[in-house]
Amino acid sequence: MKKNLFYAALILLTVLLIAAEFFNKTAEKSLFAFDTVVEISVRGRECKKALEECENEIKRLDDELGVNGSGILRQYNENGASDRELDFLIERALSVSRETDGAFDVTMYPVTVLWGFTKNEKHVPDDGKIREALSACGYEKLLTGGAKVDFGAAAKGYAADRLVKILEKYHVKDALISIGGTVTVWSRVADVAVRSPDGEGYAAVIECENTVLSTSGGYERYFEEDGKSYVHIIDPKSGRPAESGIVSATVVTEDGFLSDALSTAFFVMGEEDAKAYLKEHSDVQAILITGDKMVVSSGLKIKNTDEKYTIEVLD
Ligand code: AMP
Ligand code: MG
């Protein structure tokens, strides 16, 4: 009798293990989109279908929202055409621009082109040219369709939001997705490292759960001329690469678009203005690195930091 019970338990355990394996299959994929490396890892019974749809969606968005794509953004920039998705994104961009006093501004495209960032012909333009390019910019022009748009600072975050919808549709158990500096930790806990702004290694490791983390850093794309370095993020007030003192801005919040857009905005705004924003918005957490100081929102679960930084905790 005891023996029978033992065998029954053994069979039950085996069935449970097989079922667990079946329901928790993992699928992973690495691809290139948005001018960066995209890595997707999903777990769940329909993980393959979910992964395939995520990949298609990433490619669609890259084409639709890239300045060099063949989709709606290109048409908007050429002849003002739009669609529901682009209208929605422009509305969201306007709202972040207003909240950040114009530090986030998707109409900086003519200035980015002038500095040669789009074609890898980076150089310092003369002041007159900067003023001229700047006069074609300004987020208020989005209201009348009178500006060229570049979603490079928020498209990765928007893509993260779209992928979450696919994860939900396929009842994915959990997922980890990184689109360049935008990392989505979905329905699980994961340690995410923030790259050291001055080279190898990590500045901090954060325990994330159900959130999106985006980092903007001047070390990603920049050039040097006459011993001075110029980053790819433009200060809309001057038309010149941002020099706010922040060398890396990480924003952690549930909304991917906001996480990506704000990390760019904080990089432009600098420490004091970014801190003022954070004090007003408890749903947004951040890590701001300025030289050898690291400002950390108290709500973040920091597991590790590079000891060379002095830590300032922001309540
Ligand atoms: P990110 O890497 O998310 O910080 O985005 C940087 C990209 O956004 C740049 O490569 C430009 O295409 C664009 N960009 C530059 N300056 C700004 C700005 N002030 N606001 C919004 N987008 C910007
Ligand atoms: Mg960004």
Side-chain angles (χ1 to χ4, degrees):
M1 184 64 192
K2 257 188 181 166
K3 222 174 183 184
N4 284 349
L5 261 178
F6 172 76
Y7 283 123
L10 201 63
I11 290 166
L12 186 66
L13 188 68
T14 313
V15 169
L16 284 175
L17 283 173
I18 292 170
E21 188 60 24
F22 178 70
F23 284 108
N24 295 322
K25 283 188 292 189
T26 303
E28 290 173 335
K29 180 111 206 173
S30 184
L31 63 140
F32 195 81
F34 298 103
D35 221 9
T36 190
V37 177
V38 176
E39 285 181 284
I40 309 171
S41 167
V42 291
R43 207 162 65 94
R45 196 161 61 87
E46 294 184 276
C47 61
K48 282 221 168 81
K49 277 193 204 153
L51 187 70
E52 198 181 316
E53 204 162 312
C54 283
E55 187 182 352
N56 291 340
E57 181 66 352
I58 290 264
K59 288 179 178 161
R60 181 188 77 81
L61 290 171
D62 195 14
D63 193 44
E64 286 292 335
L65 304 177
V67 279
N68 297 318
S70 62
I72 194 66
L73 189 74
R74 191 189 193 123
Q75 291 172 42
Y76 179 89
N77 285 340
E78 279 172 9
N79 58 33
S82 192
D83 64 7
R84 267 180 63 185
E85 187 167 49
L86 189 58
D87 287 346
F88 167 78
L89 287 168
I90 288 175
E91 202 48 56
R92 291 222 58 192
L94 260 169
S95 130
V96 178
S97 294
R98 289 180 181 129
E99 284 202 319
T100 60
D101 191 25
F104 178 78
D105 190 331
V106 293
T107 71
M108 281 301 121
Y109 189 55
V111 176
T112 316
V113 171
L114 179 68
W115 283 82
F117 281 110
T118 49
K119 289 211 171 116
N120 230 356
E121 295 162 359
K122 306 177 191 103
H123 65 281
V124 180
D126 61 55
D127 287 352
K129 287 245 170 70
I130 294 176
R131 273 196 298 277
E132 195 187 314
L134 212 46
S135 70
C137 307
Y139 67 88
E140 301 89 350
K141 291 191 174 72
L142 291 171
L143 293 167
T144 52
K148 300 231 182 305
V149 165
D150 161 16
F151 273 114
K156 299 183 288 302
Y158 174 65
D161 293 335
R162 294 285 310 171
L163 296 197
V164 162
K165 300 260 184 278
I166 296 169
L167 303 179
E168 283 166 351
K169 177 177 159 191
Y170 288 102
H171 311 290
V172 164
K173 262 185 104 59
D174 58 60
L176 199 57
I177 300 168
S178 69
I179 310 174
T182 294
V183 180
T184 306
V185 180
W186 194 75
S187 190
R188 57 172 284 183
V189 177
D191 291 346
V192 182
V194 174
R195 227 179 97 182
S196 171
D198 48 19
E200 299 294 296
Y202 301 116
V205 178
I206 312 171
E207 187 182 295
C208 293
E209 186 173 6
N210 281 334
T211 198
V212 185
L213 174 149
S214 297
T215 301
S216 283
Y219 51 86
E220 287 168 30
R221 271 174 224 171
Y222 68 96
F223 69 95
E224 283 177 13
E225 200 174 298
D226 296 331
K228 192 169 154 53
S229 59
Y230 299 91
V231 302
H232 70 300
I233 299 172
I234 304 292
D235 181 345
K237 293 212 161 77
S238 65
R240 298 178 156 275
E243 281 185 285
S244 69
I246 288 184
V247 289
S248 163
T250 295
V251 172
V252 185
T253 187
E254 270 182 32
D255 183 320
F257 181 97
L258 194 63
S259 156
D260 193 359
L262 280 180
S263 65
T264 309
F266 285 177
F267 192 91
V268 173
M269 287 155 78
E271 185 184 337
E272 292 316 314
D273 287 353
K275 278 181 179 170
Y277 181 99
L278 290 164
K279 284 224 160 87
E280 295 276 303
H281 299 83
S282 56
D283 52 334
V284 177
Q285 317 277 317
I287 293 190
L288 311 169
I289 302 179
T290 58
D292 46 18
K293 189 172 82 175
M294 191 188 284
V295 179
V296 178
S297 293
S298 60
L300 289 176
K301 276 193 193 159
I302 305 287
K303 302 259 302 248
N304 223 333
T305 54
D306 185 335
E307 55 196 27
K308 78 176 180 197
Y309 294 107
T310 316
I311 311 291
E312 179 186 319
V313 177
L314 196 66
D315 285 321

